[in-house]
Amino acid sequence: MTPTSSAAGGAIIAVDWGTTNRRAYRIDADGVVVDSVRDDRGVLAMAADDYVPAIATLRERLGDLPVIAAGMIGSTRGWREAAYVPAPADLAALARAALRIDAADVTIVPGISWADGPRADVMRGEEVQVLGAITAGLAPADALFCQPGTHNKWIAARDARIVDVTTVMTGELFALLKAHGILAGMLDGPVADGAAFREGLARGAGACDLGAALFEVRAAVLLDRRQPDDAAAYASGVLIGNDVGARDVAGNTVHLLADGTLAALYTVAIETLGGHVTPVDATTAFIAGIHHLRAHLAV
């Protein structure tokens, strides 16, 4: 359905509705953030009947405005499913496929899918950040992006369109190893850049036998070849090294949509393996993506 003209001009509420967190912004007609709300009301904390009152609460805080929401709100776990747009895709393609909920004055941005040959992949939310980074001049029209997290995304853009996506369960694997299985209880130490992390990085980058490299964490501690407090940093290095090592980063620029510890660790990994990192502020990219997308919603 065609969104109302109110979504295409004037102030709006933009929502990055993730799995565990929610970030909402009041954006004026020029794309400037006037106010914002961040909380833990991600889709895992929501039932289907929770969305209408939750959006009403956002409007009480940010203004009685049209809402454009991206991320997991449009997934099968969210409020209403917004079907994926096949890659290659740009902001105009996302706008054409956006799901309009007229009764609530809400537009849900679809994600992007990749299905070429035997490989399949999907994403929701990251596409707004990537395309927003390009439209805001934070990255060129042809670029490689990395967005670390529970599920790390590697995203390729060509001519300001997303043409490929690869999702790697790096963060989730670390969390599972830490909580369950033979390494549980051994990965409670700090994870930071240092000798142990870089040794793990070197091991993981060249490992096609990831399972063996991970079991070595336990064996090295049992045989006093590694200090117990270093096990978590080493295991993190193995996983991140294996992730980055599978990409063609040598001699290339990677636009990193991250901050904090993960950004620091991935920067070390990418640069150690011969790549160059350009940091991109994910919030700025998201705001730019929604701001430029709403112009297409006027059609």
Side-chain angles (χ1 to χ4, degrees):
M1 301 180 69
T2 301
T4 61
S5 60
S6 59
I12 60 167
I13 296 172
V15 187
D16 185 358
W17 214 311
T19 303
T20 57
N21 297 298
R22 179 182 65 174
R23 300 170 179 85
Y25 309 89
R26 178 179 174 133
I27 306 175
D28 69 15
D30 296 321
V32 176
V33 175
V34 177
D35 200 357
S36 65
V37 176
R38 301 187 181 200
D39 56 33
D40 59 357
R41 297 288 287 166
V43 298
L44 293 184
M46 306 282 291
D49 293 338
D50 293 336
Y51 285 94
V52 170
I55 289 169
T57 300
L58 284 178
R59 285 187 167 123
E60 289 175 4
R61 172 70 170 79
L62 299 174
D64 188 14
L65 299 167
V67 172
I68 301 176
M72 292 300 288
I73 186 175
S75 72
T76 54
R77 290 189 169 192
W79 184 22
R80 303 278 182 86
E81 185 177 5
Y84 292 108
V85 175
D90 56 12
L91 287 174
L94 293 177
R96 287 193 297 270
L99 175 65
R100 176 71 186 168
I101 304 173
D102 288 302
D105 199 7
V106 173
T107 301
I108 298 178
V109 182
I112 290 178
S113 63
W114 168 265
D116 186 14
R119 190 171 73 82
D121 216 316
V122 294
M123 64 179 172
R124 289 192 185 273
E126 297 89 356
E127 70 286 339
V128 175
Q129 296 179 11
V130 166
L131 296 173
I134 293 171
T135 58
L138 303 175
D142 296 352
L144 174 64
F145 293 83
C146 176
Q147 189 180 55
T150 302
H151 298 146
N152 182 33
K153 299 286 187 182
W154 294 91
I155 303 163
R158 297 288 181 273
D159 297 324
R161 298 189 302 167
I162 291 174
V163 298
D164 194 5
V165 56
T166 299
T167 305
V168 189
M169 296 171 59
T170 312
E172 184 171 356
L173 284 174
F174 184 84
L176 290 170
L177 290 169
K178 183 175 180 178
H180 306 283
I182 197 69
L183 296 183
M186 301 185 78
L187 302 181
D188 295 328
V191 176
D193 184 24
F197 175 78
R198 295 197 180 214
E199 289 169 13
L201 182 64
R203 176 67 176 96
C208 25
D209 54 347
L210 180 60
L214 289 170
F215 187 80
E216 290 167 10
V217 177
R218 173 176 171 79
V221 171
L222 293 177
L223 298 175
D224 295 324
R225 298 187 62 179
R226 188 168 304 283
Q227 293 298 313
D229 285 347
D230 290 337
Y234 180 83
S236 177
V238 168
L239 287 167
I240 292 175
N242 191 257
D243 178 359
V244 177
R247 317 302 137 206
D248 183 20
V249 301
N252 292 321
T253 296
V254 178
H255 293 79
L256 193 63
L257 284 156
D259 55 21
T261 300
L262 271 180
L265 296 178
Y266 268 84
T267 296
V268 169
I270 292 166
E271 291 183 346
T272 298
L273 296 176
H276 172 73
V277 171
T278 296
V280 177
D281 184 83
T283 299
T284 301
F286 176 78
I287 298 302
I290 293 294
H291 177 62
H292 285 86
L293 180 140
R294 70 174 169 174
H296 296 287
L297 291 173
V299 177

